[in-house]
Amino acid sequence: VYITVSDGSTDVAEDGATDTYEVFLTSPPTADVAIAVNGDDQVSVSPEILTFTDLNYDSAQTVTVTAADDGVYEGDHVGIITHSATSSDDDYDGMAISDVTANITDNEIVPSLEFTNPGANGLENITTANLALTLSGETSEDVTVDYTVTGGTATGEGLDYSLADGTATITAGNLTGNIPCSVVDDHI
């Protein structure tokens, strides 16, 4: 089984740009050969079955690759297309066939990050106040935010609150996260 990738690579985009590649057999089969073409969760393919006979084995059949427009920022990434052969011809049945890697251009923009509430307040007998973070869009990877504590009317260093510089993480697939701030009950 021979695969010819157009222009040396398979390049698709979540905005709808497709690409193609061709498949053909290098020798006539003694029985029909069905090649299943399977995309992953990042790409779909058409057709999903290619059938070769002793009459058309060396005529290239075209596979069209389309990227999944998933609404999640992933940056440029790849999809893998696998192939499997089934035939009564033992030379082709179960034959190992190369995968095709599709390069995918993402169409989502990098999400922005904002403080939903840029400050927190509460009674001293409340142990934690959360500074909420919100992403403008979903991502496929964790987002980490390094933060520095500055200014404000309360006194830090354990007098009114306890909050040190640090890193907050919003896990993949989520839009919100928190920076916990411990409120100190100083009985004043």
Side-chain angles (χ1 to χ4, degrees), residues 58-149:
D58 58 353
S59 296
Q61 295 187 36
T62 301
V63 176
T64 300
V65 181
T66 304
D69 189 3
D70 52 23
V72 175
Y73 175 76
E74 301 157 297
D76 293 345
H77 53 290
V78 298
I80 304 297
I81 302 156
T82 59
H83 308 86
S84 57
T86 306
S87 178
S88 296
D89 182 335
D90 290 338
D91 289 337
Y92 283 104
D93 189 50
M95 172 184 266
I97 304 172
S98 298
D99 295 342
V100 170
T101 300
N103 303 307
I104 303 168
T105 301
D106 200 349
N107 66 342
E108 281 76 37
I109 59 171
V110 177
S112 61
L113 177 74
E114 68 178 43
F115 283 95
T116 307
N117 58 337
N121 59 52
L123 301 174
E124 287 185 344
N125 61 354
I126 298 173
T127 57
T128 302
N130 286 311
L131 302 172
L133 302 170
T134 302
L135 286 175
S136 63
E138 196 174 319
T139 68
S140 64
E141 296 183 8
D142 290 353
V143 174
T144 57
V145 180
D146 295 324
Y147 60 88
T148 302
V149 179

Side-chain angles (χ1 to χ4, degrees), residues 23-49:
V23 180
F24 62 92
L25 305 184
T26 56
S27 62
T30 59
D32 290 358
V33 177
I35 297 179
V37 184
N38 301 294
D40 60 12
D41 60 343
Q42 297 293 323
V43 292
S44 61
V45 293
S46 179
E48 294 179 342
I49 299 287

